[in-house]
Amino acid sequence: MNAEPQVFQELEKATSMVMTARRLLATGTTVDLSALEGRVRSVCESVVELPRETGQDMIPALEKLIADLDRLAELVAERMEPPPAQIVAVDEGPA
């Protein structure tokens, strides 16, 4: 059986999961990323097992997944950062 189509499908599912998570985070929804982590790990392990030429054919899709994961990480970091404190200038009056 040719594993390449199956790995491409898994890669597409992982990319779709990342996009869904980004969309949900953008609306303020809390997202459980544990399933995504497992899916990405599985895709990476599968790609490593493919013949070199086949794996190289997947580089553009893998690079897209990495870029999407980076954008997701930025959204998560933004959600985790506390809002900036407001600085209020105090007038000390005459010196």
Side-chain angles (χ1 to χ4, degrees), residues 78-94:
E78 288 172 11
R79 291 274 307 268
M80 305 264 319
E81 291 176 3
Q86 290 189 351
I87 300 174
V88 179
V90 178
D91 184 12
E92 294 181 18

Side-chain angles (χ1 to χ4, degrees), residues 46-88:
S46 296
V47 170
V48 168
E49 296 299 320
L50 293 172
R52 183 180 182 92
E53 298 78 28
T54 304
Q56 287 179 333
D57 291 342
M58 294 186 174
I59 288 174
L62 289 166
E63 288 174 338
K64 181 184 181 321
L65 176 61
I66 292 167
D68 289 343
L69 285 167
D70 286 343
R71 286 190 290 276
L72 176 60
E74 290 170 4
L75 282 173
V76 169
E78 288 172 11
R79 291 274 307 268
M80 305 264 319
E81 291 176 3
Q86 290 189 351
I87 300 174
V88 179

Side-chain angles (χ1 to χ4, degrees), residues 8-73:
F8 264 118
Q9 288 176 346
E10 291 300 311
L11 183 53
E12 288 175 356
K13 287 178 188 175
T15 300
S16 176
M17 290 174 75
V18 172
M19 298 304 290
T20 299
R22 287 178 52 205
R23 212 171 20 255
L24 290 170
L25 281 172
T27 65
T29 305
T30 300
V31 179
D32 179 0
L33 299 175
S34 59
L36 175 61
E37 179 182 358
R39 174 80 61 171
V40 171
R41 181 181 302 113
S42 175
V43 167
C44 292
E45 290 170 353
S46 296
V47 170
V48 168
E49 296 299 320
L50 293 172
R52 183 180 182 92
E53 298 78 28
T54 304
Q56 287 179 333
D57 291 342
M58 294 186 174
I59 288 174
L62 289 166
E63 288 174 338
K64 181 184 181 321
L65 176 61
I66 292 167
D68 289 343
L69 285 167
D70 286 343
R71 286 190 290 276
L72 176 60

